[in-house]
Amino acid sequence: MQIVTPPYEKMIQYGTGRLALRNQNLCFSQLLKLPSFRPRPPQRMFRKTHHRSFSYLWDVIQSGNVFASNPILKLIPERTNYNSVQRYSKPTPVDLSSMTASNLTRAASQVQKEYEEAWRILMPKLNDLGPEELLENLDQLESASLVVDNVASLCHHMHVFNDSWIRAVHQVGTDFEHEQSRELYLALLESYTKVDVGTETGRLLRKHLNQFELRGVHLDTEVREMFLNLEASKIEFESKFIIPEEVNEQDSTSSTTKEQLQSIYGMLAIRQKQAELLGYDTYVDLALDGRTISDANEIHCLHNEVAKRASLALESVENESKKIDLTSHLSLDGTLQGLFAIARALFGVVISEDENPNGWNQDVRLFHITAGDVEERWIGSFYIDAYKRSTKTRSTLMAPLTPRIVYMNINAKAPVWDDSPSPVCLEDVVAIFHEFGHVLQFILARDNSWYRPDSSSIDISEVMPQFMEHWVFEESMLQTLAHISGSATPIPDEVVTAIQKQRRNEKIEESLRRVFLGKLELDMFSRKDNEESLVALQRRLVEDYVPHEPIPKSDLSPMVQLMEANGRLQRPVAQYRYLMSELISADLFLTCKEMGISNQDKMKKLGHSLQTLILEPGTQADIKKALLSICEHESVSADAYFKLNFLLSSRHSRHHGNMIQPSTKFLGNIIRNWRLFKFDRVLWSIL
């Protein structure tokens, strides 16, 4: 699973030009993927005006309209507000089917010019603005660029092998001069002293200040120059072994093992030096600052607990490579209806399909989320690109387009005929539930904080997706999805048992793999001496945690994966988050089961708690407070995780602690006569 949720921003000065590393969706991260890439000043990107004239003429020819408009610019919201609960009206649908590569480059050029003009006007007024006005101006300064950059990410994922789109995506990027402005940093710092740090305004000011400090803007001139030189060297190291997705692995000219190892050593040394310049003992201390778990020792303890229990469970794992085929029982529409029913039951949202999605492909579907109250307020929308195509990315993901519109990419097998049912396999169902968890987490946040997340949000970014995954493997849930999908027969009991057993085995091995990668990452980025080589470190951890998956001495792929995550993907020291999110989500779901899934009132109460304590606060959710309120303990524990995943079947769960045999009778009620309801009303007819 790949998730494209933007972590935090960095600004890099390289040579004579400044390029913004806004998040992993943006141009710079993709430019880095090109082996021949060399940074250059952004103003040179659009120096040939006759190319723009030709692209406009081509748009007119394609559209048949001399006044052809740019659909990308129509996506840009008119205004956002940092300091109140977001209330958006449902936007006018944008026809993305007419979007061209030239639309993207021209939108980027226009946005760059508008940004430069807005920054020129804002600069003299920095010291005259109050805290809220300053934040609002910064928001407006960046909003249009974020939309264009997100569209560029979409195009990168959906046109992996199209040369014109690849060139257009690599040209997109705004030169955010304000992100290196010491004057702006001082203005933010002065505003921060005037507000209560516990308020929303104080939190947002602190977030901006943290980003400036991570870029070294607060450092003295000499130290700052050293910091930026180190950043430039790090980019050079990264570009040596990162291969673009559009390059076939067999045709790629990847670096040798020796070259990769040298690059890793160089990048680790640079990270360590940068952390010291910023006042931290190690890079791990820098990355964990402000996280839910800010102490590396606490993470090590969590790893040790999971590894000990998973190693014991590993002894009972049977190697079964047989794939269980459920395509005759499950369909895409049935899966979506069951999924939307759960969302309606827990969070009171209604999800309806737009009959005219006008997406980037004829198979793209558009859904709108509205509040289930009398007002039927529009909350957000999401696109689903469900079918596998040779031209798009193989990754399953969720990524934003605007503050309230996102898209999901799934790679299910397309039906033979347009009017045929769309069968999906179990892996597709899991991916749909998982990515929809990201959709809920993004859209239901009251302050759009997931649209501009920082590194502190990494800890909780996978909690809701993992929570939604647990629903799939409830025995009666699979039967419910099969019934909604129109399956002629229920899924045989022995198949359900085999699925749960396979899930258990996969989770045991996955847990140990997560521990291995998490420990390797922590040890790599906290090493300050050369007593143990990186190759020896990796070999020792393989023997300790994944002896069942031997890795050759010459295979550096685990370390390369970690360096890529900490570099191009902008997820610093974050491997542990997957395991921690699994533990937290298991705790929440176990509480859900103990309440009794068939009890509608209790489910609504639980959903309200999840929404107010985890979803609405967005990146600022206090997960320990949520655990204390919902699960009656605030520490992250592995107990629920092992109860849910490592038992052979939910039928046996009644013999373990307070586990209760699940029942989805409340879902069964909605499907008895489900064909009598329209698609957008069948979701929760029992309410």
Side-chain angles (χ1 to χ4, degrees):
M1 190 285 301
Q2 178 181 349
I3 168 72
V4 192
T5 301
Y8 68 98
E9 304 171 350
K10 283 191 175 180
M11 181 71 182
I12 296 171
Q13 182 173 346
Y14 192 84
T16 58
R18 294 186 180 90
L19 292 168
L21 258 179
R22 306 233 357 113
N23 55 53
Q24 74 269 33
N25 294 332
L26 306 192
C27 72
F28 193 74
S29 62
Q30 289 145 18
L31 286 169
L32 285 179
K33 295 194 228 176
L34 294 178
S36 60
F37 166 68
R38 291 294 182 271
R40 63 181 181 180
Q43 57 265 30
R44 294 174 56 192
M45 291 180 178
F46 306 97
R47 63 187 184 278
K48 297 183 179 180
T49 56
H50 65 276
H51 283 178
R52 295 202 301 273
S53 301
F54 178 78
S55 66
Y56 170 74
L57 180 60
W58 180 243
D59 287 345
V60 171
I61 293 174
Q62 285 185 308
S63 64
N65 182 3
V66 71
F67 301 107
S69 59
N70 193 328
I72 298 175
L73 296 177
K74 291 182 179 180
L75 279 173
I76 299 173
E78 293 183 2
R79 181 183 180 86
T80 57
N81 189 341
Y82 259 130
N83 307 301
S84 63
V85 176
Q86 300 291 342
R87 296 287 184 178
Y88 290 93
S89 58
K90 187 175 179 179
T92 304
V94 177
D95 187 359
L96 297 179
S97 63
S98 61
M99 183 170 59
T100 64
S102 59
N103 287 148
L104 184 60
T105 54
R106 287 192 288 111
S109 178
Q110 179 175 331
V111 165
Q112 173 70 42
K113 292 177 181 178
E114 292 175 353
Y115 162 79
E116 291 173 356
E117 178 64 18
W119 174 235
R120 184 186 64 78
I121 295 173
L122 179 61
M123 280 182 64
K125 304 189 298 182
L126 288 176
N127 295 325
D128 301 328
L129 297 175
E132 294 185 355
E133 291 178 300
L134 184 58
L135 287 173
E136 188 171 346
N137 275 274
L138 286 179
D139 179 44
Q140 295 180 19
L141 196 64
E142 301 174 350
S143 59
S145 298
L146 283 173
V147 172
V148 174
D149 291 334
N150 289 336
V151 173
S153 176
L154 166 69
C155 298
H156 172 70
H157 293 135
M158 301 306 163
H159 303 283
V160 175
F161 303 104
N162 187 303
D163 290 340
S164 62
W165 277 108
I166 292 172
R167 285 193 298 269
V169 167
H170 291 329
Q171 289 181 1
V172 175
T174 304
D175 175 19
F176 281 126
E177 185 179 349
H178 74 279
E179 292 186 339
Q180 285 292 323
S181 170
R182 190 172 180 82
E183 292 78 10
L184 178 55
Y185 171 75
L186 294 175
L188 288 166
L189 191 61
E190 182 180 355
S191 295
Y192 187 66
T193 62
K194 299 177 180 178
V195 301
D196 182 355
V197 297
T199 62
E200 185 74 3
T201 300
R203 181 187 66 79
L204 291 170
L205 286 169
R206 183 66 261 174
K207 176 180 174 180
H208 279 285
L209 288 170
N210 288 341
Q211 300 309 315
F212 274 89
E213 290 164 4
L214 285 172
R215 293 189 287 266
V217 176
H218 64 300
L219 300 173
D220 295 337
T221 304
E222 184 177 347
V223 180
R224 183 184 178 194
E225 184 177 355
M226 185 187 306
F227 181 88
L228 293 174
N229 287 335
L230 288 169
E231 194 71 39
S233 300
K234 178 174 66 66
I235 293 173
E236 185 177 355
F237 277 122
E238 287 179 342
S239 63
K240 290 182 179 179
F241 58 85
I242 295 177
I243 303 170
E245 186 175 4
E246 59 266 19
V247 176
N248 187 292
E249 293 182 2
Q250 297 179 350
D251 299 332
S252 64
T253 56
S254 58
S255 304
T256 64
T257 299
K258 184 177 180 180
E259 290 172 340
Q260 286 185 342
L261 193 59
Q262 290 175 345
S263 298
I264 292 172
Y265 271 111
M267 291 167 65
L268 290 176
I270 290 171
R271 294 266 188 204
Q272 176 60 30
K273 184 60 179 177
Q274 285 183 317
E276 292 174 357
L277 291 176
L278 293 175
Y280 294 88
D281 188 39
T282 66
Y283 178 68
V284 169
D285 295 328
L286 167 63
L288 295 182
D289 189 18
R291 303 264 184 97
T292 301
I293 298 182
S294 57
D295 185 359
N297 292 327
E298 191 175 346
I299 299 176
H300 278 301
C301 291
L302 205 61
H303 283 155
N304 292 336
E305 180 188 359
V306 172
K308 181 180 179 179
R309 299 171 72 168
S311 296
L312 293 174
L314 183 64
E315 299 174 0
S316 62
V317 170
E318 301 176 6
N319 294 324
E320 297 181 0
S321 58
K322 184 179 178 180
K323 186 176 181 180
I324 301 174
D325 185 11
L326 294 181
T327 53
S328 61
H329 297 282
L330 302 175
S331 70
L332 178 61
D333 281 350
T335 299
L336 291 177
Q337 290 184 46
L339 178 62
F340 297 164
I342 295 173
R344 176 74 184 270
L346 289 174
F347 310 118
V349 295
V350 178
I351 302 174
S352 57
E353 183 168 12
D354 195 314
E355 296 181 356
N356 300 299
N358 293 321
W360 49 91
N361 184 275
Q362 62 179 1
D363 293 326
V364 173
R365 300 166 69 175
L366 174 61
F367 297 87
H368 303 295
I369 302 178
T370 56
D373 52 25
V374 179
E375 301 175 5
E376 294 187 352
R377 292 178 293 105
W378 177 79
I379 302 175
S381 301
F382 62 97
Y383 291 92
I384 296 182
D385 194 343
Y387 301 131
K388 185 184 300 183
R389 294 192 300 274
S390 60
T391 57
K392 75 172 188 176
T393 181
R394 295 182 292 272
S395 302
T396 59
L397 55 88
M398 187 288 298
L401 286 176
T402 74
R404 289 292 168 188
I405 302 176
V406 301
Y407 65 94
M408 290 168 51
N409 182 59
I410 308 296
N411 284 295
K413 185 178 180 180
V416 177
W417 307 106
D418 290 342
D419 56 352
S420 301
S422 303
V424 290
C425 62
L426 181 61
E427 291 77 10
D428 296 331
V429 174
V430 173
I432 292 169
F433 271 68
H434 184 99
E435 301 306 332
F436 184 70
H438 283 296
V439 171
L440 292 174
Q441 194 164 254
F442 187 95
I443 290 180
L444 296 185
R446 63 171 175 261
D447 60 355
N448 293 337
S449 55
W450 285 108
Y451 195 60
R452 290 180 174 87
D454 53 20
S455 60
S456 64
S457 63
I458 284 179
D459 282 357
I460 60 174
S461 61
E462 294 290 332
V463 170
M464 189 52 57
Q466 296 292 352
F467 176 81
M468 297 304 297
E469 263 194 48
H470 284 298
W471 286 91
V472 178
F473 295 95
E474 288 302 306
E475 179 182 2
S476 45
M477 173 57 68
L478 284 174
Q479 298 290 11
T480 299
L481 295 179
H483 188 96
I484 301 176
S485 299
S487 175
T489 59
I491 303 173
D493 290 342
E494 59 271 18
V495 173
V496 174
T497 301
I499 289 172
Q500 293 176 332
K501 184 177 180 180
Q502 187 178 75
R503 169 79 168 179
R504 171 185 181 272
N505 295 343
E506 290 173 353
K507 280 298 178 181
I508 292 173
E509 296 180 351
E510 180 185 312
S511 301
L512 291 170
R513 198 177 306 117
R514 294 291 187 202
V515 171
F516 162 67
L517 288 173
K519 279 190 169 288
L520 180 60
E521 183 177 52
L522 288 174
D523 289 347
M524 283 173 60
F525 286 101
S526 60
R527 64 197 308 270
K528 299 180 65 176
D529 54 56
N530 298 319
E531 293 181 359
E532 185 178 31
S533 69
L534 290 176
V535 174
L537 170 65
Q538 177 175 291
R539 195 184 331 164
R540 174 171 60 81
L541 294 177
V542 167
E543 293 172 355
D544 289 345
Y545 300 107
V546 284
H548 56 288
E549 296 180 3
I551 300 176
K553 180 179 178 180
S554 59
D555 185 359
L556 302 182
S557 57
M559 286 190 282
V560 171
Q561 175 185 341
L562 294 175
M563 298 310 297
E564 187 176 17
N566 281 266
R568 178 178 68 87
L569 298 181
Q570 293 287 286
R571 293 197 280 265
V573 189
Q575 274 298 319
Y576 73 90
R577 73 176 174 136
Y578 296 105
L579 188 56
M580 193 178 82
S581 293
E582 289 259 28
L583 303 185
I584 295 171
S585 64
D587 234 337
L588 296 172
F589 193 76
L590 181 60
T591 301
C592 178
K593 291 181 65 172
E594 290 176 343
M595 285 183 175
I597 291 178
S598 61
N599 190 314
Q600 298 177 35
D601 292 334
K602 289 185 177 180
M603 288 301 98
K604 289 174 65 176
K605 182 179 179 181
L606 174 67
H608 178 74
S609 298
L610 290 173
Q611 190 162 357
T612 56
L613 296 173
I614 296 178
L615 293 178
E616 289 183 355
T619 60
Q620 299 305 309
D622 186 338
I623 201 65
K624 292 185 177 180
K625 179 181 177 182
L627 286 174
L628 182 61
S629 175
I630 299 173
C631 307
E632 299 182 352
H633 63 83
E634 64 177 5
S635 60
V636 179
S637 169
D639 291 342
Y641 177 69
F642 279 85
K643 284 183 180 180
L644 278 178
N645 293 312
F646 288 11
L647 298 177
L648 181 61
S649 166
S650 58
R651 295 175 182 174
H652 305 113
S653 61
R654 64 184 66 181
H655 303 297
H656 296 267
N658 295 323
M659 292 278 289
I660 296 177
Q661 184 174 358
S663 169
T664 50
K665 180 181 178 182
F666 78 119
L667 278 178
N669 291 338
I670 73 168
I671 63 174
R672 288 174 182 157
N673 296 305
W674 69 276
R675 289 186 177 86
L676 301 179
F677 296 87
K678 292 183 179 179
F679 178 69
D680 60 343
R681 299 184 62 183
V682 68
L683 307 180
W684 212 250
S685 60
I686 62 171
L687 295 181

